[in-house]
C-alpha cells in the first residue's frame, strides 16, 4: 500500500504551479497524492487528512500571508485527530527575510519541516521518506537541510 500525502495551497493563495510540480514529483516517487488545489482552508486540509488517512500534510504558500493563514493550524489538525507529518514550503515571508528565522516561526506553529522556495522537490521527498521510515531510493539525496 502506498503512503498518502495531502497537498494544497493554504488560505486565499492562488499560486498553483508549485503544487502541480510537487504533485507530479511525489506521485512519480510512489506516493498517493491528494491535491486539494489552491485556496484551501485549514479545515479542508484536516478533513482530507482524516478521509484519506494521510501520512503527511504538505502545505504550500507563496503570496506572503502564510504565517497568518497557519495560525491555529496545529490545533485544527489535533482536534480532527490527524496523525501525520506536516511540512510547509514556498515563499513564506514577505520580501527578503532571514530564512532561519522564518523556519523557527513555522516550527513554532507546529510544522515538522519548513522549506524555502528554492527547495528541490526531491529533497522534500527524501526528507519524507526519512520521516516515515521508508527505504531510501538508490541515488537519492539523503542529506536535507530542513
Ligand atoms: C506566477 C505568479 C503569479 C500568478 C499565479 C498564477 C497561478 N494561478 O499560479 C498571479 C499573476 C495570479 C499571481 C498573483 C499574485 N502574486 Co504572484 N507570483 C507569481 C510568480 C511570478 C511565480 C510563481 C510560480 O509559479 N513559480 C514557479 C513554481 C514552480 O515555484 P514555486 O511556486 O516557488 O514552488 C516551488 C517551491 O516554492 C517549492 N514549494 C512550494 N510550496 C511548497 C510546499 C512544500 C511542502 C514544499 C516541500 C515545497 C514547496 O516547490 C515548488 C516546486 O519546485 C512569483 C515570483 C517567483 N518568481 O516566484 C510571484 C509571487 C509569488 N507573487 C507574489 C504576490 C505578492 C502576488 C499577489 C499578492 C500580487 C497582488 N498584489 O495581487 C497575487 C496573489 C494572488 C493570490 N490570491 O494568490 C509575490 C509574493 C511575495 C512574498 N511572498 O513576499 C511573488 C514572490 C512575486 C514578488 N517577488 O513579489 N502571482
Amino acid at each position: 500500500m502506498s503512503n498518502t500525502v495531502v497537498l494544497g495551497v493554504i488560505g486565499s493563495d492562488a499560486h498553483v504551479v508549485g503544487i502541480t510540480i510537487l504533485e507530479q514529483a511525489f506521485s512519480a516517487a510512489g506516493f498517493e497524492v491528494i491535491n486539494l488545489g489552491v485556496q484551501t482552508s485549514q479545515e479542508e486540509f484536516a478533513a482530507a487528512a482524516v478521509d484519506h488517512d494521510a501520512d503527511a500534510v504538505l502545505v504550500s504558500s507563496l503570496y506572503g500571508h502564510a504565517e497568518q493563514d497557519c495560525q491555529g493550524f496545529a490545533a485544527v489538525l489535533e482536534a480532527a485527530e490527524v496523525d501525520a507529518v506536516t511540512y510547509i514550503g514556498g515563499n513564506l515571508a514577505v520580501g527578503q527575510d532571514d530564512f532561519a528565522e522564518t523556519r523557527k516561526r513555522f516550527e513554532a506553529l507546529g510544522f515538522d519541516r519548513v522549506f524555502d522556495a528554492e527547495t528541490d522537490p526531491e529533497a522534500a521527498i527524501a526528507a519524507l521518506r526519512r520521516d516515515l521510515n521508508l527505504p531510501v531510493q538508490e541515488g537519492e539525496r539523503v542529506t536535507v537541510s530542513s
Side-chain angles (χ1 to χ4, degrees):
M1 210 178 79
S2 61
N3 291 83
T4 302
V5 164
V6 164
L7 167 69
V9 183
I10 199 162
S12 304
D13 194 332
H15 293 90
V16 74
V17 182
I19 58 159
T20 305
I21 289 173
L22 290 170
E23 177 184 9
Q24 289 173 1
F26 276 85
S27 295
F31 290 88
E32 180 165 347
V33 182
I34 312 299
N35 186 349
L36 303 177
V38 298
Q39 301 188 329
T40 299
S41 69
Q42 294 186 359
E43 290 72 20
E44 286 168 333
F45 276 102
V50 170
D51 288 351
H52 298 279
D53 194 17
D55 299 286
V57 174
L58 272 51
V59 175
S60 177
S61 181
L62 272 297
Y63 71 164
H65 302 286
E67 202 171 344
Q68 295 95 309
D69 290 342
C70 293
Q71 295 293 333
F73 188 45
V76 167
L77 293 179
E78 196 183 337
E81 299 184 11
V82 173
D83 178 22
V85 171
T86 55
Y87 290 178
I88 187 163
N91 202 325
L92 298 177
V94 177
Q96 298 295 319
D97 68 312
D98 174 355
F99 188 69
E101 285 303 315
T102 299
R103 171 175 288 144
K104 275 191 208 153
R105 290 204 303 277
F106 284 90
E107 285 173 347
L109 286 169
F111 288 96
D112 295 307
R113 289 185 190 270
V114 184
F115 298 88
D116 66 18
E118 307 305 316
T119 301
D120 181 341
E122 295 304 322
I125 289 166
L128 188 57
R129 285 214 173 98
R130 198 166 65 177
D131 289 345
L132 297 180
N133 293 316
L134 300 174
V136 171
Q137 304 294 293
E138 197 178 330
E140 186 173 78
R141 188 158 24 122
V142 290
T143 308
V144 292
S145 57
S146 318

